[in-house]
Amino acid sequence: METLNQDINNRKFKRIYLLYGEEGYLKKSYKNRLKKAVLGEDTMNFHSFEGKGWELSEIIGLAETMPFFAEKRLILLEDSGVFKGNADPFADYLPSIPESTCIMFVESEVDKRSRMYKGVKKYGYAAELARQDSSRLSKWAAGILANEGKKITSSTMELLLDKTGEDMENLYSELEKLISYTLGKDVITAADVEDVCTTQATNKIFEMTAAISAGRIKRAMELYEDLLILKEPPMRILFLIARQFNQLLLIKDMSDKGMGKGEMASLLKIPPFAVSKMIPQARAFTREQVLSCVQLCIDTEEAVKQGRIQDRLAVELLICGSV
């Protein structure tokens, strides 16, 4: 991201940019910042394509056309798919892109072995915008609050991240709510976070499995009812429960192999702070208990799909029977 920031600040742009990865907020942010830096308020020299409904000949035609009363022409392609399939003709064209044209790709997934990816690396810049760890999220969120003249302690920040999860779009939305709620206050407290921030479904699932591991069926059922009130479908709740137990199983296995939190987080593709929370939860179960819960989730899903039981009741019985 440092290169992106330098190019934006210095206004010295490469002919090709690729923004890809799991963090949608960062992709959207850098897409807009690059567009603003390259074109300013100019709309005549901007061309946008989404999906695969375009022809390479049209892209090349635009790229070869001199910008109209401007230094640069910008062509944006989102979710083009050219980094996952055979796009040799486009890859052949990359070295020929004129200096007056900037092509920006925004993709969800890329194959780093593809000619397109290697071409962008050679003739432009590829930025992987991955999920941020808790340390970076904390600094980013604290910076937003500081710009509004507000402070937050590390423990309150941890509570905020625990509620919002690692998605930056959601975290930004919750920060806006906090800023509005605390008008006239300099310090954001844990009580403020509890008052206005919404706990994500995945966090309630974590708390639910913790209640299950402690044998607190009543609490687990209360959390299930909360999710239903939030209009979470029972089958999605079942999916999240199954995913949680699968992650607990993997964490138990990785812990036995002596892996560190960072390595676990990388393999599971979750933030390190989430791994820190899950390790003690995994220890509360034996491996056999976790395997039994995973199998029970599989059996429950099969029973619902076969019409042998109604989905809401099925998840209730799962919660009661997984202890």
Side-chain angles (χ1 to χ4, degrees):
M1 289 187 285
E2 184 178 345
T3 298
L4 284 174
N5 289 323
Q6 286 178 349
D7 289 0
I8 290 169
N9 293 332
N10 298 335
R11 300 184 61 81
K12 293 183 179 179
F13 305 108
K14 297 172 177 57
R15 290 176 293 168
I16 325 162
Y17 290 94
L18 166 61
L19 310 179
Y20 71 100
E22 296 179 343
E23 186 45 75
Y25 179 89
L26 287 177
K27 286 192 293 184
K28 180 180 177 181
S29 175
Y30 276 108
K31 176 186 73 175
N32 292 335
R33 288 180 62 197
L34 268 171
K35 178 185 173 185
K36 179 74 173 177
V38 172
L39 296 177
E41 301 301 324
D42 178 15
T43 58
M44 297 184 64
N45 295 297
F46 176 64
H47 312 276
S48 178
F49 300 87
E50 188 169 354
K52 301 177 182 179
W54 48 269
E55 296 292 336
L56 178 58
S57 58
E58 182 181 7
I59 303 299
I60 293 177
L62 289 169
E64 296 293 327
T65 302
M66 287 294 294
F68 186 71
F69 290 111
E71 293 184 8
K72 290 282 185 181
R73 181 179 299 278
L74 177 63
I75 303 172
L76 169 65
L77 294 102
E78 297 190 71
D79 296 318
S80 66
V82 297
F83 292 89
K84 294 193 69 179
N86 184 0
D88 284 349
F90 208 147
D92 290 337
Y93 177 66
L94 296 183
S96 305
I97 297 174
E99 291 290 342
S100 59
T101 293
C102 179
I103 297 181
M104 176 169 40
F105 295 96
V106 181
E107 306 286 336
S108 298
E109 297 181 82
V110 303
D111 182 351
K112 294 182 179 180
R113 300 167 297 179
S114 67
R115 283 190 63 206
M116 278 295 295
Y117 180 81
K118 293 175 181 177
V120 172
K121 291 277 286 184
K122 183 175 182 179
Y123 300 107
Y125 181 71
E128 182 173 8
L129 304 172
R131 296 283 189 188
Q132 302 296 288
D133 61 29
S134 56
S135 176
R136 290 183 179 179
L137 286 174
S138 296
K139 291 178 182 177
W140 176 71
I144 292 173
L145 293 176
N147 287 338
E148 298 292 332
K150 298 185 182 296
K151 298 178 181 178
I152 187 170
T153 65
S154 57
S155 60
T156 303
M157 178 65 76
E158 187 174 339
L159 173 64
L160 174 62
L161 294 179
D162 188 43
K163 277 184 166 290
T164 63
E166 73 276 14
D167 182 81
M168 293 181 74
E169 192 82 53
N170 182 63
L171 177 54
Y172 184 76
S173 175
E174 296 300 314
L175 286 169
E176 287 187 317
K177 286 162 59 177
L178 270 175
I179 291 166
S180 297
Y181 183 74
T182 57
L183 285 176
K185 291 178 60 176
D186 295 333
V187 179
I188 290 177
T189 66
D192 297 327
V193 174
E194 293 286 4
D195 285 344
V196 299
C197 293
T198 303
T199 301
Q200 294 300 292
T202 50
N203 295 42
K204 285 188 179 291
I205 295 295
F206 177 88
E207 191 177 345
M208 186 187 298
T209 53
I212 290 172
S213 69
R216 295 185 290 125
I217 300 176
K218 182 180 178 181
R219 178 55 182 159
M221 290 300 297
E222 287 173 351
L223 291 163
Y224 179 47
E225 291 296 330
D226 288 346
L227 290 168
L228 293 175
I229 290 171
L230 292 171
K231 301 191 182 302
E232 286 287 346
M235 292 305 287
R236 171 166 164 75
I237 296 172
L238 174 60
F239 164 77
L240 292 172
I241 292 173
R243 186 180 69 174
Q244 179 76 5
F245 279 117
N246 272 299
Q247 288 180 335
L248 291 178
L249 181 62
L250 291 170
I251 282 178
K252 287 189 78 68
D253 290 341
M254 288 187 282
S255 293
D256 291 342
K257 294 177 182 177
M259 291 187 184
K261 293 177 185 177
E263 190 174 2
M264 291 185 195
S266 177
L267 290 172
L268 292 174
K269 296 184 178 180
I270 61 177
F273 74 83
V275 172
S276 297
K277 288 174 55 183
M278 292 174 71
I279 288 175
Q281 190 177 100
R283 289 173 183 158
F285 292 92
T286 65
R287 193 174 193 280
E288 290 69 27
Q289 285 175 323
V290 181
L291 283 170
S292 176
C293 291
V294 170
Q295 186 60 51
L296 188 55
C297 290
I298 294 171
D299 294 342
T300 301
E301 181 182 9
E302 184 178 349
V304 173
K305 288 182 176 178
Q306 291 178 353
R308 291 188 279 116
I309 191 170
Q310 189 262 347
D311 56 0
R312 179 167 177 167
L313 176 60
V315 179
E316 289 178 3
L317 293 174
L318 167 71
I319 294 170
C320 297
S322 59
V323 179

